[in-house]
Amino acid sequence: MSEALTLLPFFLPEAVPGLLAGCVFANFFGGYGMIDIVFGSLATLIAAVLSRHSRNIYTAALWPVIANAIIIGAELHYLIDAPLFMTCLYVGLGEAGACYAVGVPLMKILVRQNIIQKG
């Protein structure tokens, strides 16, 4: 569910630092240590900034998929010696599911209910 919220910067600029802070906090308690705190948070920041400047919700959802596939895939390759291509593909597919199957419909509901709007 948290990955679905990576689309919030498209609507709310204040979501960029919020997502970054949340990611740093979550990764601080995760199992991969300082590498994940730095690179996991970097992936979130890059995705949030690019999503913020996207033209539509579908391209906004693409940036978390790309950033996480590349950065987190490479991080896992380094940390646990997982095969690079397959790890990037697996992370990207998971992120795509979270963003497109959950995030886009959730954001459309929030817009329809006037809870958020493009700002």
Side-chain angles (χ1 to χ4, degrees), residues 60-74:
L62 185 61
W63 296 117
V65 174
I66 293 170
N68 281 286
I70 294 169
I71 296 171
I72 303 305

Side-chain angles (χ1 to χ4, degrees), residues 28-40:
F28 183 76
F29 294 103
Y32 290 111
M34 188 56 71
I35 290 175
D36 197 33
I37 293 169
V38 172
F39 289 101

